[in-house]
Amino acid sequence: MRRWLRMGAIAAMCVALTVRPAMAQQILRDAETEAFMADMSAPLVKAAGMSPRNVEVLVISDPEINAFVAGGQYVWVHSGLIAAADNVNQLQGVVAHELGHIEGGHVIRSSEGMKAATGITLLSLVLGAAAIAAGGAEAGMGILGMGQQAAMSKFLAFSRAQESSADLAGARYLSTAGVSGKGSLEFFKKLQNQEYRLAIPQDDSYGRTHPLSGERINVLREVYTVDPAWDRPVDPGLEARFERIRAKLVGYVSEPRQTLIKYPESDQSIPAHYARAYAWHKSAYPDKAMAEVAALLRAAPHDPYFLELKGQILLESGKPADAIPPLREAVKATNQPLIGTLLAHALIATEDERNFAEAEQVLRIAVARDRENPFAWYQLGIVYERRGDIPRAALATAERYAMMGEHQMALRSADAAMQGLKPGTVDYLRAQDIAMVSRAAVEQKRKKR
């Protein structure tokens, strides 16, 4: 019986792995990276019959070479995968595969595989129990064991079928978008090399949630090599943007010493300057970080993302007033809400009340374009509190707690906001909505205890 429960737990864990929430890991929000991901994936999203406005490709901080979907139209890419990719074409192959999971509704349909496996398990439990009751203990335990194995095999086969389906769907999207499948095959070869290093048997994928990389390569090679896009070169502009975001990501998430080994001083390329700027900034060497930024700006004086980095370093080095001009220019060039939030932070950090009106204006635009930014709401709450508008400060706090899943705190803040807001106004109705949703969430949590 304990063994049956153990196998059931393993099956449940397999399902959990396919839908694990990305919020359990740190989401890396970066204006340049998000703009690149949107542009890079747009042709693939359209090829999949979806709207680029509704699909987001986001990055989470995780050194593993992985990507996944977990409900909704979101593709989550690990930072480790971007660092491991050799070019943008490899990343496009991964994203195309994940879009195949979305189009196929695989996260939702995972319950079908679990249901089939559970049915086999329950049947073997009934038959095994009957045999034990009739005096055949060994036969009963054998039936239970065979049922467990059959159930797990059923679930794993279902998962492998979904992966194979996503592979072929991804190949179709790449072809429709006119993107070569070379990068997809190259990345599967990387995964195959990992399997070799981990001594994973290469003769059969039985007992695995995914087909072996070698099996996938053999199938996809037949599809990709005859496609008209097979020999099509990568867009050089897109490749240059990929090299930039990969470098800044490495500089941000890696240990500075590792970054400086990967991007030594002898490397005077734009990506290398980018990576070293982050490495020196993380190491608390602002002068060296600013020297790298100066090199970037000499190459492109009005690049908004280089200006953003300059402003960030100045702000985080205790020079908020100096950070304002480059951040203003970056916001003007991009209208990016994440950069706008950084500008507002610098304006507030000066503690000069003359800057608060601009900070409020920038933040209101930022949250209108990107409501899911807790730090923007936090900054907006500070501005409201500083000018004595306590009800709207409470509303901004309620917004922040609501998106963080802190329902009790969101409810308290929303109730406090309604005490001072005029009934029927837009802000009052918004506070009312937050209070209603948060109250329901709090009640549901109580009932589960």
Side-chain angles (χ1 to χ4, degrees):
M1 198 64 159
R2 286 195 299 270
R3 188 180 173 197
W4 174 77
L5 291 172
R6 177 175 174 271
M7 293 297 289
I10 293 174
M13 182 178 69
C14 289
V15 174
L17 285 173
T18 65
V19 297
R20 60 176 173 175
M23 289 305 293
Q25 296 156 305
Q26 181 189 3
I27 301 174
L28 300 177
R29 300 293 311 275
D30 174 69
E32 181 179 15
T33 300
E34 291 181 9
F36 164 78
M37 289 294 192
D39 293 342
M40 178 271 297
S41 62
L44 302 174
V45 173
K46 290 178 183 177
M50 294 178 278
S51 170
R53 291 179 299 176
N54 299 329
V55 179
E56 289 190 72
V57 182
L58 299 172
V59 181
I60 55 176
S61 182
D62 193 310
E64 290 185 6
I65 302 175
N66 195 20
F68 62 95
V69 295
Q73 294 186 328
Y74 295 94
V75 175
W76 301 95
V77 180
H78 287 203
S79 58
L81 187 148
I82 295 174
D86 295 324
N87 52 59
V88 69
N89 192 215
Q90 293 183 6
L91 181 58
Q92 287 172 314
V94 171
V95 171
H97 169 89
E98 298 303 330
L99 291 173
H101 282 304
I102 295 176
E103 187 203 21
H106 292 169
V107 172
I108 298 172
R109 293 185 58 205
S110 291
S111 60
E112 297 176 15
M114 191 61 186
K115 183 178 179 181
T118 302
I120 295 172
T121 301
L122 291 176
L123 178 61
S124 68
L125 179 62
V126 171
L127 295 175
I132 293 172
E138 289 188 10
M141 293 305 294
I143 292 172
L144 285 175
M146 291 175 63
Q148 295 156 17
Q149 186 174 6
M152 181 58 70
S153 297
K154 184 76 173 179
F155 177 80
L156 294 176
F158 181 86
S159 177
R160 289 194 299 273
Q162 286 190 327
E163 293 299 327
S164 296
S165 172
D167 284 347
L168 293 175
R172 188 172 73 253
Y173 308 152
L174 289 168
S175 176
T176 302
V179 177
S180 173
K182 286 182 180 179
S184 176
L185 288 184
E186 290 167 0
F187 205 81
F188 276 125
K189 288 176 182 177
K190 283 181 177 288
L191 297 180
Q192 187 179 43
N193 288 335
Q194 274 198 330
E195 291 171 357
Y196 289 149
R197 288 196 296 270
L198 295 173
I200 294 174
Q202 297 293 302
D203 55 343
D204 193 354
S205 59
Y206 178 83
R208 290 169 53 88
T209 57
H210 291 55
L212 287 166
S213 296
E215 297 171 351
R216 302 167 87 170
I217 291 169
N218 290 335
V219 171
L220 289 173
R221 184 185 290 115
E222 299 299 319
V223 177
Y224 287 137
T225 54
V226 298
D227 188 83
W230 173 250
D231 288 319
R232 187 164 297 171
V234 174
D235 178 355
L238 203 59
E239 178 62 27
R241 291 174 67 188
F242 167 75
E243 291 174 2
R244 279 176 52 156
I245 68 108
R246 180 180 58 184
K248 73 188 297 187
L249 182 64
V250 169
Y252 181 77
V253 302
S254 300
E255 289 296 320
R257 183 168 60 178
Q258 294 177 334
T259 301
L260 295 173
I261 291 173
K262 185 176 180 65
Y263 295 97
E265 294 284 349
S266 57
D267 187 345
Q268 292 296 302
S269 66
I270 293 294
H273 284 301
Y274 225 167
R276 290 197 298 269
Y278 278 96
W280 289 126
H281 184 47
K282 284 179 64 176
S283 302
Y285 287 98
D287 291 341
K288 290 186 175 182
M290 288 300 293
E292 299 291 351
V293 173
L296 293 171
L297 288 170
R298 280 196 296 273
H302 302 290
D303 187 294
Y305 303 114
F306 297 164
L307 291 166
E308 177 197 16
L309 178 55
K310 179 179 180 179
Q312 178 185 350
I313 293 171
L314 289 168
L315 172 60
E316 294 174 359
S317 300
K319 301 175 181 178
D322 294 338
I324 292 171
L327 290 174
R328 276 189 184 137
E329 184 178 347
V331 170
K332 185 178 180 180
T334 64
N335 201 23
Q336 279 275 3
L338 290 174
I339 305 178
T341 302
L342 191 62
L343 169 59
H345 185 192
L347 290 164
I348 295 168
T350 62
E351 300 186 357
D352 185 341
E353 292 187 4
R354 293 173 296 180
N355 289 329
F356 287 1
E358 181 183 356
E360 179 183 349
Q361 180 184 17
V362 170
L363 286 167
R364 290 179 73 89
I365 294 172
V367 297
R369 298 193 64 204
D370 180 10
R371 298 190 68 84
E372 298 182 3
N373 186 342
F375 189 66
W377 287 110
Y378 172 73
Q379 293 291 314
L380 191 55
I382 290 176
V383 171
Y384 286 140
E385 190 272 334
R386 292 283 182 89
R387 75 176 197 193
D389 192 344
I390 304 305
R392 284 181 177 77
L395 176 56
T397 302
E399 294 275 12
R400 177 166 64 96
Y401 280 128
M403 74 180 59
M404 293 171 63
E406 298 284 347
H407 301 296
Q408 186 69 59
M409 297 300 294
L411 177 58
R412 290 178 185 174
S413 298
D415 283 341
M418 285 189 291
Q419 296 300 315
L421 294 170
K422 184 178 179 180
T425 60
V426 173
D427 286 342
Y428 182 91
L429 293 175
R430 178 56 185 162
Q432 194 175 52
D433 288 345
I434 295 174
M436 181 177 63
V437 173
S438 300
R439 186 174 288 107
V442 169
E443 288 299 320
Q444 186 178 18
K445 187 176 181 180
R446 281 179 185 160
K447 290 177 181 179
K448 288 182 179 180
R449 289 177 179 172

